[in-house]
């Protein structure tokens, strides 16, 4: 069986790692991949945005399953294109991907369907947006409607800060066309939870919920990033809470997407806040999360490959059992480059520590020097270090100590991944 993964980050490395574990005899092609994935399959230097080249590659290689990692090719319609060519592909169509690529679309759908989410208003005019701030208490959330690489959300602590964010998005267009429209949202108090569900458009199978750390600095301070680390399982994701989130959020969303004429097939990622009133949606994503994928896949005992194949082939998941999970704990520490999440410096030489039992290092922003073959930094998040152990504290210590040994100039990492859960368990014991 030939499988192609589109993308070249830590999430795609983890997907490749898991699919090879599910079936070691698959032939894997990754476009474009990265130096860490090379040991698992053949990396082909075609960017995730080169849709025609990708479809030609899949056609020529007679690929049995393509799995799309990042959101941009989904927004560009890679699934529509592959389907037109009769190629099995896992991911939502361009229209269904709007659940992530247009925050406005997602908010309208949630409001229309009574899916719990933050109260929000939508604007394309800065003056009107600033006037609307009067209807929100501080802190207030200012969000670009389109894709902004995980950076289009600003939690403003004051009206002045909110006005600066509005000017930056609608006036200076710091996020380009993605910030042509913005949402002003009430800030929701509570812990965040990442819930992934694999869906055929009707049935949805929840995966193990994780908590990620989006802020750059320890204690969850500093600017938002794509994610500096994640852990699972988390005690806030009780079976009752997940059942409630499936009943009140995931299933009604799938139903609303069908009614909108854009059935969602693929992986639906609900970014939730657990408020006093129950789980509410912060945002949806239309693909596997990064770095949560690196955290949860090492704990997945069932075959992911079989689920992805079933959805890509258009089979129903109605008779599929919920996946089985290891009883162990996983912690992922992201090691980021100098300057991340702003102006990232690349080209620093990386030295990785020797492999360690219980630890997987997933490459993200790495590249090989064309002459010396040295491993170099090539992106904001450089590697993610996932440790699996019997307890969360052991996994956190192992992940942190291995990440500390990854060396390159200007590296940044958080040494407190999982702190909320560790604080909770310390309170209990
Ligand atoms: N962990 C956040 C994301 O994948 O967008």
């Amino acid at each position: 069986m030939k499988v192609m993964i589109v993308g070249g980050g830590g999430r795609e490395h983890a997907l490749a790692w898991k699919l090879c574990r599910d079936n070691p005899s698959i032939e894997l092609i990754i476009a474009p991949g990265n130096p860490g994935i090379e040991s698992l399959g053949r990396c082909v230097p075609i960017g995730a945005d080169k849709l025609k080249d990708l479809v030609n590659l899949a056609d020529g290689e007679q690929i049995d399953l393509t799995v799309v990692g990042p959101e941009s090719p989904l927004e560009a319609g890679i699934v529509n294109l592959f389907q037109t060519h009769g190629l099995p592909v896992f991911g939502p169509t361009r229209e269904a991907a709007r659940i992530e690529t247009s925050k406005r679309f997602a908010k309208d759908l949630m409001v229309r369907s009574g899916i719990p989410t933050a109260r929000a208003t939508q604007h394309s005019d800065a003056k009107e947006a600033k006037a609307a701030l009067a209807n929100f208490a501080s802190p207030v959330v200012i969000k670009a409607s389109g894709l902004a690489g995980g950076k289009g959300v600003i939690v403003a602590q004051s009206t002045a800060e909110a006005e600066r964010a509005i000017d930056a998005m609608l006036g200076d267009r710091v996020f380009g066309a993605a910030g042509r429209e913005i949402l002003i949202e009430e800030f929701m108090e509570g812990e965040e939870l990442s819930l992934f569900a694999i869906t055929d458009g009707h049935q949805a199978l929840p995966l193990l919920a994780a908590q990620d750390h989006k802020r750059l600095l320890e204690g969850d301070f500093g600017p938002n990033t794509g994610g500096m680390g994640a852990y699972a399982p988390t005690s806030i994701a009780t079976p009752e809470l997940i059942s409630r989130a499936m009943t009140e959020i995931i299933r009604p969303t799938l139903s609303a997407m069908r009614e909108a004429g854009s059935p969602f097939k693929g992986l639906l990622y609900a970014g939730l806040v657990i408020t006093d009133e129950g789980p509410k949606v912060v945002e949806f994503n239309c693909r596997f999360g990064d770095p949560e994928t690196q955290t949860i896949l090492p704990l997945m005992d069932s075959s992911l490959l079989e689920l992805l194949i079933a959805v890509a082939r258009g089979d129903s998941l109605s008779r599929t059992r919920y996946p089985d999970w290891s009883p162990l704990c996983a912690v992922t520490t992201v090691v980021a480059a100098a300057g991340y999440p702003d102006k990232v410096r690349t080209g620093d030489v990386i030295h990785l520590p020797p492999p360690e039992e219980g630890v997987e290092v997933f490459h993200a922003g790495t590249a090989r020097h064309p002459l010396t073959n040295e491993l170099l930094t090539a992106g904001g998040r450089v590697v993610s270090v996932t440790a699996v152990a019997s307890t969360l504290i052991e996994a956190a210590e192992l992940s942190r100590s291995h990440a500390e040994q990854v060396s390159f100039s200007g590296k940044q990492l958080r040494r407190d991944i999982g702190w909320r859960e560790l604080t909770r368990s310390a309170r209990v014991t």
Side-chain angles (χ1 to χ4, degrees), residues 75-224:
E75 180 180 43
I78 189 168
V79 168
N80 307 58
L81 185 65
F82 271 56
Q83 286 175 346
T84 308
H85 284 72
L87 292 162
V89 56
F90 179 85
T93 60
R94 179 200 292 119
E95 296 72 26
R98 284 179 299 167
I99 195 94
E100 171 170 5
T101 63
S102 169
K103 306 284 177 260
R104 176 174 196 151
F105 171 86
K107 187 63 76 176
D108 287 344
L109 180 127
M110 286 187 272
V111 170
R112 212 168 52 234
S113 312
I115 294 162
T117 184
R119 179 173 61 85
T121 53
Q122 304 171 357
H123 309 275
S124 49
D125 176 74
K127 202 164 153 218
E128 185 199 286
K130 286 182 195 171
L133 288 174
N135 303 318
F136 292 87
S138 293
V140 63
V141 181
I142 313 294
K143 256 185 202 177
S145 179
L147 290 182
K151 294 179 199 147
V153 178
I154 291 171
V155 180
Q157 299 298 332
S158 64
T159 304
E161 199 185 331
E163 288 184 342
R164 280 198 296 279
I166 290 169
D167 282 334
M169 290 187 199
L170 289 177
D172 304 340
R173 289 284 160 84
V174 290
F175 300 123
R180 210 166 38 205
E181 278 187 317
I182 63 162
L183 275 66
I184 301 179
E185 286 193 3
E186 66 177 346
F187 178 77
M188 296 187 288
E189 288 286 352
E191 289 212 30
E192 294 198 23
L193 188 68
S194 302
L195 177 62
F196 299 173
I198 292 189
T199 173
D200 59 9
H202 292 261
Q203 308 297 324
L205 305 175
L207 303 189
L208 187 67
Q211 190 169 57
D212 79 343
H213 295 271
K214 293 205 179 68
R215 303 295 193 102
L216 180 70
L217 305 175
E218 284 163 24
D220 295 327
F221 292 108
N224 258 326

Side-chain angles (χ1 to χ4, degrees), residues 31 36 43 63 94-95 113 185 196 199 211 234 240 256 278 285 290 333 389 399 413 416:
C43 292
I63 299 287
R94 179 200 292 119
E95 296 72 26
S113 312
E185 286 193 3
F196 299 173
T199 173
Q211 190 169 57
T234 164
E240 295 72 31
N285 292 318
D290 187 343
T333 303
S399 170
L413 77 157
D416 67 343

Side-chain angles (χ1 to χ4, degrees), residues 337-348:
Y340 182 74
D342 297 323
K343 202 169 171 347
V344 171
R345 188 175 77 206
T346 57
D348 288 306

